[in-house]
């Protein structure tokens, strides 16, 4: 039997590379999946592709910043498949990096927009999905956060603040609802290679990230999707309230490791000498 047979999963941001891969991974494990995204044509294309592969899926477009849209997406999931067992809050405020550079130049409008996507939208999906989960005896909520919520950086102030709020929401929801059968966890994703990444992060920038990864590669959408499946399934039945880094070890070591590694490697050939 597949890990998620009989479960209904709702995936936000499902038209993107991580969201679509997650919807596929959940469906491969037997879940009936509702996909939602702001971009209706792309969402329908992903849904049609999954249907063509034999999966039981449906979609409803909606804007994560609009309360009525979120409520209607959850209502659609309940009407279509009978409820919600798994909520994957995958949608995030990507594409604002070129404007999210510093606080003195930050517009209130940009700040509010990013928080609305990264924190308010997931909160509202939880607000409307939790009653269905309780009625079905429990469930699993997986919030897609970011490594930028765990440490400081020189840009992406609004993005990091929104994801940090999502981490706090994760822990509070887990504390309140795990005794009632709803586990809540977050994934702090590292750099995930997606289509078009070269335009935003050229190779020499990607190599900076790669030099700090303990696993010698950058992440893929399937890396995140696999962790969502694990957290959605009973394999993780004793895991809740956690912010789990899926980043190839990027945040697991001291900041000096990438620069110190060749020096230490040189010392191994000449013990006691700093080279």
């Amino acid at each position: 039997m597949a890990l998620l047979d009989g479960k209904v999963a709702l995936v936000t941001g499902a038209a993107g590379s991580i969201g679509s891969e997650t919807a596929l991974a959940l469906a491969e494990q037997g879940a009936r999946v509702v996909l939602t995204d702001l971009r209706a044509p792309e969402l329908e294309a992903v849904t049609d592709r999954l249907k063509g592969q034999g999966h039981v899926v449906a979609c409803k477009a909606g804007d994560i910043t609009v309360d009525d849209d979120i409520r209607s997406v959850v209502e659609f999931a309940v009407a279509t498949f009978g409820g919600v067992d798994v909520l994957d809050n995958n949608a995030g405020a990507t594409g604002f990096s070129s404007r999210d550079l510093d606080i003195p130049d930050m517009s209130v409008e940009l700040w509010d927009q990013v928080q609305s996507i990264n924190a308010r939208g997931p909160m509202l999906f939880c607000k409307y999905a939790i009653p269905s989960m309780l009625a079905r005896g429990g469930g699993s909520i997986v919030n897609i956060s970011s490594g930028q919520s765990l440490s400081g950086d020189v840009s992406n102030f609004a993005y990091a603040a929104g994801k940090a709020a999502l981490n706090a929401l994760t822990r509070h929801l887990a504390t309140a609802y795990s005794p009632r059968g709803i586990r809540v966890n977050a994934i702090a994703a590292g750099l995930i290679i997606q289509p078009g990444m070269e335009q935003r992060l050229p190779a020499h920038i990607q190599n900076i990230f790669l030099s700090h990864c303990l696993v010698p590669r950058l992440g893929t959408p399937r890396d995140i999707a696999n962790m969502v499946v694990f957290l959605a399934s009973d394999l993780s039945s004793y895991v809740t309230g956690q912010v789990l880094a899926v980043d190839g070890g990027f945040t697991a070591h001291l900041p000096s490791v990438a620069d110190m590694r060749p020096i230490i490697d040189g010392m191994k050939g000449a013990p006691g000498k700093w080279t």
Side-chain angles (χ1 to χ4, degrees):
M1 185 175 76
L3 290 173
L4 299 172
D5 277 349
K7 301 296 185 182
V8 178
L10 171 56
V11 179
T12 75
S17 57
I18 296 176
S20 60
E21 189 70 17
T22 300
L24 171 60
L26 292 167
E28 287 174 341
Q29 290 300 324
R32 293 168 290 168
V33 184
V34 172
L35 298 82
T36 186
D37 199 291
L38 177 64
R39 299 165 292 173
E42 293 89 341
L43 178 66
E44 292 170 2
V46 171
T47 304
D48 288 343
R49 184 173 76 245
L50 296 182
K51 286 181 178 178
Q53 296 171 358
H55 300 300
V56 182
V57 298
C59 70
K60 183 173 178 60
D63 187 337
I64 196 172
T65 68
V66 178
D67 189 325
D68 286 344
D69 281 14
I70 294 172
R71 182 173 58 247
S72 68
V73 168
V74 175
E75 290 174 347
F76 173 80
V78 173
T80 303
F81 293 134
V84 177
D85 302 296
V86 177
L87 171 61
D88 175 40
N89 278 313
N90 169 76
T94 58
F96 295 97
S97 296
S98 63
R99 297 161 56 200
D100 187 8
L101 295 174
D102 205 354
I103 289 297
D105 299 323
M106 178 74 62
S107 71
V108 172
E109 292 76 18
L110 176 61
W111 181 272
D112 288 347
Q113 184 178 12
V114 172
Q115 306 318 310
S116 182
I117 297 169
N118 280 357
R120 181 176 177 269
M123 178 276 293
L124 288 171
F125 269 105
C126 292
K127 169 185 171 69
Y128 294 120
I130 283 174
S132 175
M133 290 183 175
L134 291 174
R136 291 166 69 84
S140 176
I141 297 172
V142 184
N143 295 319
I144 306 303
S145 184
S146 168
Q148 289 203 315
S149 69
L150 305 179
S151 301
D153 204 345
V154 294
S155 65
N156 291 315
F157 290 82
Y159 182 85
K163 291 299 188 181
L166 186 59
N167 296 346
L169 177 66
T170 296
R171 297 186 182 102
H172 275 64
L173 285 172
T175 301
Y177 286 99
S178 294
R180 302 175 67 182
I182 300 176
R183 294 182 299 105
V184 189
N185 293 286
I187 295 172
L191 181 60
I192 305 299
I193 297 300
Q194 305 174 54
M197 182 70 78
E198 293 77 11
Q199 297 177 0
R200 294 187 289 117
L201 288 177
H204 69 282
I205 300 297
Q206 292 185 33
N207 286 336
I208 292 174
F209 283 86
L210 181 60
S211 70
H212 289 275
C213 288
L214 304 182
V215 177
R217 65 174 176 84
L218 297 177
T220 68
R222 180 53 74 144
D223 291 320
I224 303 302
N226 286 341
M227 181 58 87
V228 173
V229 169
F230 170 71
L231 292 173
S233 75
D234 288 340
L235 291 177
S236 60
S237 62
Y238 203 51
V239 180
T240 194
Q242 303 304 305
V243 179
L244 302 166
V246 179
D247 62 1
F250 188 88
T251 54
H253 58 77
L254 295 173
S256 57
V257 165
D259 294 325
M260 289 297 296
R261 191 185 301 277
I263 296 174
I264 298 300
D265 286 346
M267 291 178 64
K268 292 175 181 176
K273 294 184 178 180
W274 292 92
T275 58

